[in-house]
Amino acid sequence: MSHVHTVPVNIESVVDAGPVRVSGSTLTKLWLMVFIGIFVFSTGLLFGDAGVTWGAFYVNAVYFQGLALGGVMTTVIMQIVRATWGAPVRRLAEANVAYLPVAFCVFLTTYFGREYLFYWGRAPMPGREAWMVPEFVYARFAVLFFVLYFLMTRFVARSLRGDVGLARERAKDKAAWDLPAHKSLTKGWKGAGEILPIQRKMSVTAPVVAFFYVVVTSLFAFEMIMGQNPNWISNLFGAFVFVSQIYIGWAGLALMSMYFSKRHKSLGEVVTSQQFWDLGKLNLGFCMLWGYMFWSQFLTQWYGNLPEETQWLILRTREFPWKGLAWVVFPMCFIIPFISLLSRDVKKNTKTYAVVCFVLMTGVWLDRYLIIMPEISPHHIPLGVTEVGIFVGFLGAYLLCIRNFLSKYPAVAVSHPLTHGSAEW
């Protein structure tokens, strides 16, 4: 989708510049955000409405897990389609893998709020009494997520091995690339001759990662989001969820590219309007795919007119107070991004593209809220301090993980063949 064939990178310059650095004050603010989230969540459980508090926690757990998974999938997709434009921003996409351990712990934490979150957490699920036992549900998803996260981590580790290996070879300051993580990644390093085999292994692994992503995410959507309601069924819901995660993954990657390219010299030299144009086209493509998935679900259920399906829709789209929010979500997720990203100038202008990314990412968060929270609070939208505080905490934790990853590894994928003039990979 781009005429760019190679992205020349001065390897020595990237290596000598070191990893991305974040100021101490920014780090303090991120930790403060995390503590705010913990405080608000704890206060809500102790003195507020425990159901609403768990609901807000679950909305953010699902959203940020999806953002991280979708972010990793962007680099997997680049590998599968051999995206020649993507080498400068791949490292930023790979940084999402750092949040996966947190996502796993957060997922396990929701076990303690199962009675508030899931129908099957407080009563047998009709027709699925043996399958939807809470302990069994959490045990199998712990295994599934572990496998998926392991595959994604292994995929990113292969990419890092080549970069860290070259960095340790060529750096003037060897100490900067001598952390335990660097030694572990480059154990048995045989030199630049490993790079092409690494890329081939990644190309073989990428479709496997994509397959497990689709299967695990779909099962999670069916059983732990759709499963909040004992009657509602949608065969397209799994696809809707995993597509929307990649949708916000592209937007998140674009925002990170804008931010870090202005604060890191090596990134600023290789991330150009070309990358934003391509990211914008991908965002537009997934915007249309999101709209297709949404409409395909809505149309078939509405005209099928089955009470167990339409009642779920009526609560969210035809009855107050949720009806108003539904009419906010659709424009933010589809209409505004679709119209805006048709313009080439919008995609190439970082200010306008950033606004579109913020709008669609906020829209998808509200979409998750609209899907999950009415099962807990059908007659009231409890969007207040608790929801905002917990969101702030999750955002702080997510950004801390991104920062921790980028502070250890080369900002640009210096070992990728495209960065030194070769399209043979």
Side-chain angles (χ1 to χ4, degrees), residues 244-283:
S244 63
Q245 291 178 169
I246 302 175
Y247 182 28
I248 59 175
W250 290 119
L253 175 56
L255 291 175
M256 284 197 289
S257 300
M258 295 172 199
Y259 180 85
F260 289 112
S261 63
K262 294 179 179 179
R263 288 161 177 79
H264 194 278
K265 181 181 177 182
S266 299
L267 269 173
E269 290 173 349
V270 295
V271 176
T272 66
S273 60
Q274 181 66 48
Q275 274 69 45
F276 294 120
W277 186 31
D278 285 315
L279 285 168
K281 286 187 285 185
L282 284 160
N283 256 146

Side-chain angles (χ1 to χ4, degrees), residues 41 45 49-59 109-114 116-117 373 376 390:
F41 176 63
L45 291 181
D49 187 326
V52 169
T53 302
W54 275 113
F57 183 87
Y58 194 57
V59 168
T109 301
T110 61
Y111 174 80
F112 300 103
R114 64 193 183 281
Y116 299 102
L117 296 173
M373 195 59 79
I376 299 168
I390 292 174

Side-chain angles (χ1 to χ4, degrees), residues 91-329:
R91 182 54 29 78
L92 300 178
E94 291 169 353
N96 284 279
V97 80
Y99 182 76
L100 297 183
V102 176
F104 188 78
C105 294
V106 167
F107 160 72
L108 294 178
T109 301
T110 61
Y111 174 80
F112 300 103
R114 64 193 183 281
E115 293 183 2
Y116 299 102
L117 296 173
F118 311 111
Y119 180 91
W120 46 264
R122 55 184 177 270
M125 193 76 157
R128 288 172 279 176
E129 293 86 354
W131 183 251
M132 300 300 289
V133 176
E135 290 73 18
F136 184 35
V137 173
Y138 274 89
R140 67 174 177 267
F141 275 106
V143 173
L144 289 171
F145 279 133
F146 179 83
V147 172
L148 176 61
Y149 294 171
F150 173 79
L151 289 172
M152 286 185 163
T153 302
R154 183 62 178 164
F155 178 83
V156 172
R158 281 179 171 155
S159 174
L160 292 173
R161 178 177 172 84
D163 292 348
V164 176
L166 279 183
R168 286 167 65 83
E169 284 182 359
R170 303 197 184 187
K172 295 176 182 176
D173 180 13
K174 302 292 184 182
W177 303 104
D178 204 35
L179 295 175
H182 300 149
K183 294 177 181 178
S184 176
L185 277 170
T186 56
K187 186 177 180 180
W189 173 251
K190 299 174 183 178
E194 277 196 41
I195 292 173
L196 194 56
I198 285 174
Q199 288 297 322
R200 288 171 178 164
K201 288 178 182 178
M202 290 176 66
S203 294
V204 171
T205 305
V208 178
V209 176
F211 173 79
F212 273 90
Y213 166 76
V214 168
V215 171
V216 174
T217 304
S218 296
L219 289 174
F220 178 79
F222 290 139
E223 297 187 2
M224 298 201 71
I225 302 179
M226 188 192 301
Q228 286 188 290
N229 187 295
N231 300 313
W232 181 57
I233 297 173
S234 170
N235 293 332
L236 274 173
F237 188 66
F240 175 77
V241 169
F242 73 67
V243 164
S244 63
Q245 291 178 169
I246 302 175
Y247 182 28
I248 59 175
W250 290 119
L253 175 56
L255 291 175
M256 284 197 289
S257 300
M258 295 172 199
Y259 180 85
F260 289 112
S261 63
K262 294 179 179 179
R263 288 161 177 79
H264 194 278
K265 181 181 177 182
S266 299
L267 269 173
E269 290 173 349
V270 295
V271 176
T272 66
S273 60
Q274 181 66 48
Q275 274 69 45
F276 294 120
W277 186 31
D278 285 315
L279 285 168
K281 286 187 285 185
L282 284 160
N283 256 146
L284 176 61
F286 273 83
C287 172
M288 291 187 286
L289 191 55
W290 183 94
Y292 170 77
M293 292 294 180
F294 171 85
W295 185 246
S296 297
Q297 279 190 107
F298 179 83
L299 191 66
T300 53
Q301 292 188 35
W302 190 254
Y303 279 100
N305 199 29
L306 299 175
E308 63 269 21
E309 295 181 359
T310 53
Q311 183 55 43
W312 189 93
L313 292 173
I314 288 170
L315 174 62
R316 290 161 174 79
T317 62
R318 305 283 290 181
E319 295 181 355
F320 286 106
W322 295 102
K323 174 181 178 180
L325 183 59
W327 283 100
V328 171
V329 168

